[in-house]
Amino acid sequence: MKKVDMNADPALAALQALIAYLAHEGEPMIVLDPAYNILGANPAYRRQFGRAGEPVLGQKCYRVSHHYDVPCDQAGEHCPMRRSLELGGPDRVLHIHHTPRGPEHVNVELRPILDPQGRVLAYVERLCTVRHASAEPSAEGLVGRSAVFMAALESLQRVAPSMLPVLLLGESGTGKELFARALHEASPRAGGPFVVVDCSGLSEALFESELFGYEKGAFTGAHARKPGLVETAQGGTLFLDEMGDVPLAMQVKLLRLIETGGYRRVGGLETRQADFRLVAATHQPLARMVAEGRFREDLYYRINAFPIELPALRERPEDIALLVDSILKREAPAGVPLSLTPAALARLQAHAWPGNVRELRNVLERARLFADDGLIRVEHLPSGLARTPVLPAAKQACDEALLHAVQGFTGTRRTLAARLGLSERTLYRRLKALGPD
């Protein structure tokens, strides 16, 4: 397509008016022609993404955002403009952009501007920085840049504004609570409480009293009324961790709570109304548990409205160095920087991490106690640290979740991969490993 000349055709006056209008928008926005040239940029964009002394207008968007010499799709990434041409409509993607503050996760929404004949005159691109995840070492929150991490984060960004229940799937130690907290922070309920319920190891009676609270005298030792975690989560997010451990008898009451919002404190008669966003997580194969009668089918489908599969650490080896720096930032004593020798980092990158990020954190916490000069060496790492086989139970759980997600899905493999929080390559590899059926 030819570059749009803003001064050559009076028919483009409406486009010029649009550029002027965007100056009053509070979110960063730019206008692009079909040849990727930036025609206009509002003040919010210049403040957040512009670099002092560097021009923006007339520059290629991929050079400003990514420092690429070619469009994103030619550099192996999702290009929203290319996708918009294919779809004939808007597109949205999560990218890592270069900014004055360094690389950042950015939500990009692109919409075509058409002339009366339906031809594309230009595109409007809205950009929103993701504040609850980092593309650089960070002492808190989610950290990652790999394709599988980005896919899970993009799924999280898409579902966060809604009230749909979200089910986080993945092996133990993949950071489900961090993802759940990020989901809360990206939602309209970010100003409300984020309440965690650890469902593992709770008896039926204890689970009910913890979740719903109890009245004075409800049982021996109930000397005063106590609000439950459902009540504490009012106006916010309720995170049910290890959902597969909820006692079967309690699943009925939990289903009623989710469907009607109504519950009673233990020993109480008054029906109270809950107001929370539900996020659940499990490493267990819920679909198999349903088939075996260990988990209610109706509850399963209620909490499984939007599943997100979190990648295992062995699926994101390119993130290990980033995670190592982040963990060391969190664990280092004040004023005492910690780092690794290249050989030690290579050893960590060669390990399969069956315990995922939790195992990596434990290894680094132990190693730093031996690093008197602040430098972690190979000899400070566990002697048996090497590539280890995947634990059969964990692999079985993930395979079960994947097979259930595939059943009945009629969209493209790309769409399924994004929904599961996987790259297309990882999805293809895992489906191939599971066999032709």
Side-chain angles (χ1 to χ4, degrees):
M1 293 186 180
K2 296 181 180 180
K3 176 181 175 180
V4 176
D5 184 349
M6 296 295 292
N7 300 311
D9 189 346
L12 298 181
L15 190 56
Q16 292 175 316
L18 172 63
I19 293 174
Y21 172 78
L22 295 183
H24 304 287
E25 284 288 320
E27 293 183 314
M29 301 179 75
I30 57 176
V31 177
L32 308 166
D33 70 13
Y36 306 96
N37 299 295
I38 299 177
L39 305 178
N42 69 355
Y45 178 87
R46 294 175 186 273
R47 284 194 303 270
Q48 289 197 38
F49 298 101
R51 294 179 180 274
E54 295 185 9
V56 173
L57 299 187
Q59 298 295 309
K60 300 290 187 182
C61 60
Y62 49 82
R63 287 182 182 153
V64 174
S65 298
H66 302 285
H67 297 177
Y68 290 158
D69 293 326
V70 294
C72 296
D73 59 317
Q74 296 179 37
E77 290 198 47
H78 177 134
C79 176
M81 188 181 295
R82 175 61 57 188
R83 186 65 173 162
S84 177
L85 282 171
E86 295 172 356
L87 297 174
D91 190 45
R92 175 178 169 182
V93 67
L94 180 70
H95 272 175
I96 295 179
H97 282 197
H98 288 277
T99 77
R101 299 164 300 280
E104 293 183 341
H105 297 290
V106 177
N107 262 322
V108 180
E109 296 182 21
L110 181 138
R111 291 183 176 275
I113 304 299
L114 308 178
D115 66 11
Q117 287 72 44
R119 295 172 299 190
V120 175
L121 280 178
Y123 297 90
V124 173
E125 193 170 88
R126 182 190 305 268
L127 301 98
C128 180
T129 301
V130 177
R131 302 296 181 188
H132 51 268
S134 178
E136 292 190 299
S138 174
E140 58 184 19
L142 294 171
V143 177
R145 302 184 64 168
S146 63
V148 289
F149 175 85
M150 293 284 285
L153 185 60
E154 183 172 10
S155 294
L156 183 151
Q157 290 292 117
R158 285 185 176 273
V159 74
S162 75
M163 276 294 290
L164 273 179
V166 175
L167 179 61
L168 301 175
L169 301 167
E171 298 173 12
S172 180
T174 49
K176 300 185 195 70
E177 185 171 339
L178 280 177
F179 268 89
R181 188 176 294 275
L183 180 69
H184 169 72
E185 292 173 355
S187 77
R189 293 176 165 252
F194 175 75
V195 178
V196 179
V197 182
D198 185 357
C199 302
S200 60
L202 293 178
S203 66
E204 179 184 342
L206 186 57
F207 186 89
E208 186 171 12
S209 63
E210 284 289 308
L211 198 63
F212 299 142
Y214 53 81
E215 298 290 349
K216 180 180 179 181
F219 49 82
T220 303
H223 301 302
R225 171 185 291 176
K226 179 186 175 182
L229 295 175
V230 166
E231 190 172 343
T232 305
Q234 197 78 355
T237 300
L238 185 69
F239 175 49
L240 299 180
D241 198 10
E242 299 299 346
M243 186 71 176
D245 290 337
V246 174
L248 193 59
M250 273 303 301
Q251 292 178 20
V252 181
K253 295 181 180 180
L254 185 56
L255 177 64
R256 187 180 303 118
L257 170 70
I258 295 170
E259 291 190 331
T260 69
Y263 69 98
R264 293 177 184 172
R265 290 174 176 159
V266 176
L269 298 177
E270 177 189 3
T271 299
R272 308 178 66 84
Q273 199 66 23
D275 175 22
F276 61 84
R277 164 75 173 280
L278 177 68
V279 181
T282 184
H283 70 280
Q284 299 193 53
L286 293 186
R288 190 177 69 190
M289 292 173 67
V290 168
E292 295 172 352
R294 294 187 290 127
F295 199 88
R296 290 184 62 94
E297 183 177 29
D298 45 8
L299 177 59
Y300 173 71
Y301 286 114
R302 194 67 182 85
I303 65 174
N304 197 37
F306 196 96
I308 301 177
E309 184 171 326
L310 307 187
L313 186 53
R314 64 183 169 276
E315 295 179 305
R316 43 186 297 215
E318 58 267 56
D319 283 342
I320 288 180
L322 190 60
L323 289 166
V324 165
D325 287 345
S326 298
I327 293 170
L328 293 181
K329 276 179 176 288
R330 300 170 193 179
E331 301 301 330
V336 182
L338 290 170
S339 60
L340 277 78
T341 65
L345 178 59
R347 180 69 62 87
L348 296 180
Q349 290 173 328
H351 188 55
W353 301 109
N356 293 295
V357 179
R358 182 181 294 120
E359 182 188 0
L360 175 62
R361 184 174 60 249
N362 291 342
V363 166
L364 292 173
E365 287 176 351
R366 174 189 180 277
R368 74 178 180 86
L369 299 179
F370 295 94
D372 296 329
D373 60 353
L375 189 62
I376 296 176
R377 299 173 172 81
V378 170
E379 57 265 29
H380 300 149
L381 302 176
S383 58
L385 196 70
R387 184 163 295 277
T388 54
V390 180
L391 295 177
K395 183 178 185 303
Q396 190 176 35
C398 284
D399 288 348
E400 184 79 19
L402 179 61
L403 287 173
H404 178 77
V406 170
Q407 290 174 356
F409 187 80
T410 58
T412 65
R413 190 170 70 199
R414 181 177 191 168
T415 303
L416 178 59
R419 181 175 178 179
L420 294 174
L422 299 172
S423 68
E424 286 188 74
R425 182 182 300 174
T426 299
L427 176 62
Y428 174 79
R429 175 171 50 79
R430 289 187 57 182
L431 288 175
K432 186 176 181 180
L434 289 174
D437 296 330

